[in-house]
Amino acid sequence: MSTGWLDGDTALFVRYGDAFVPRRREQLDVVCDLLAELPRPDVVELGCGDGRLTERLLSRLHETRVTAVDASADMLRLARTRLAAFAGRFALYQARMEEDLALGGGPHGAVVTSLAVHHLDDRAKQVLYRRVYASLAPGGVFVMADLVSPVGPVPLAFAAARWDAEVCAVDPGATAPFESARWNTFRFPDPVDRPSRVAEHLSWLAGAGFSDVDVCWLNAGHAVFHARRPECFEETI
């Protein structure tokens, strides 16, 4: 990618997203698996894009309602079409995840996000984690699938190579557009991508008050994090 997220990037991602994101379907299934027990059947998704994760949530969690937000009107139009079969179980709103609208109406059973938080700087990530914590019901969970920053030149080169290999394995035809768009940010750093280190995310989540903070999946510089707001009796111990 060049110097920011453009309309052409949206079209490219919608077309090739399943290849550009390492093991994307597996990632989405892991997110759903981590929502097996919720205190409320109410999930907020931050940065829903064209609704692929929303669709998986609604398909897997049959009694759950999802409120999904995204900053892009174009993405939300695509999401509304994708989710038409789930009418009555979802709501879509145009908002940035930093805005109050995104986490309003709680407390929620869960907050999830995929490939969105890495666009925030470190301070904004920490503010978001505190806001997510405050929006959750006791026992509620936060699950995040996102890009992370490898530590050091050897892990960075490894993550870059793994990302290239994953794209080719899923769809060899996607390799050329992946390379021409310079999508592998580990090879072609872009100001729009500001991934943080795994250790930093774990520290910030714990600092926001979460328990059971962990990385449950990791591949090619992409990770799935889990964090839980403790039950009230746990918070007072």
Side-chain angles (χ1 to χ4, degrees), residues 119-138:
H119 295 306
L120 303 178
D121 62 28
D122 289 351
R123 180 181 178 279
K125 291 184 182 86
Q126 294 174 69
V127 171
L128 177 68
Y129 294 162
R130 292 193 293 269
R131 291 181 57 242
V132 169
Y133 181 91
S135 77
L136 288 169

Side-chain angles (χ1 to χ4, degrees), residues 50-202:
D50 65 349
R52 288 180 184 250
L53 175 55
T54 323
E55 180 182 34
R56 191 67 59 91
L57 292 167
L58 293 168
S59 298
R60 289 275 306 272
L61 309 175
H62 302 295
E63 305 301 321
T64 299
R65 176 178 172 81
V66 178
T67 300
V69 300
D70 198 275
S72 168
D74 290 337
M75 283 292 197
L76 289 173
R77 280 192 288 271
L78 293 171
R80 191 171 301 279
T81 298
R82 177 183 295 277
L83 303 173
F86 301 98
R89 292 184 54 208
F90 72 92
L92 300 176
Y93 296 101
Q94 185 174 4
R96 296 182 304 157
M97 60 184 151
E98 307 96 309
E99 296 174 349
D100 291 339
L101 171 64
L103 291 170
H108 306 291
V111 175
V112 302
T113 183
S114 175
L115 295 177
V117 173
H118 71 275
H119 295 306
L120 303 178
D121 62 28
D122 289 351
R123 180 181 178 279
K125 291 184 182 86
Q126 294 174 69
V127 171
L128 177 68
Y129 294 162
R130 292 193 293 269
R131 291 181 57 242
V132 169
Y133 181 91
S135 77
L136 288 169
V141 298
F142 175 49
V143 179
M144 175 178 69
D146 209 1
L147 195 66
V148 293
S149 178
V151 182
V154 173
L156 179 65
F158 177 77
R162 285 296 307 163
W163 197 349
D164 289 343
E166 290 286 351
V167 173
C168 184
V170 171
D171 182 1
T175 300
F178 180 75
E179 292 177 350
S180 63
R182 299 165 68 92
W183 204 277
N184 191 332
T185 193
F186 301 141
R187 295 197 187 283
F188 309 106
D190 188 320
V192 76
D193 292 323
R194 292 178 273 189
S196 300
R197 300 175 179 182
V198 167
E200 291 173 323
H201 285 292
L202 297 176

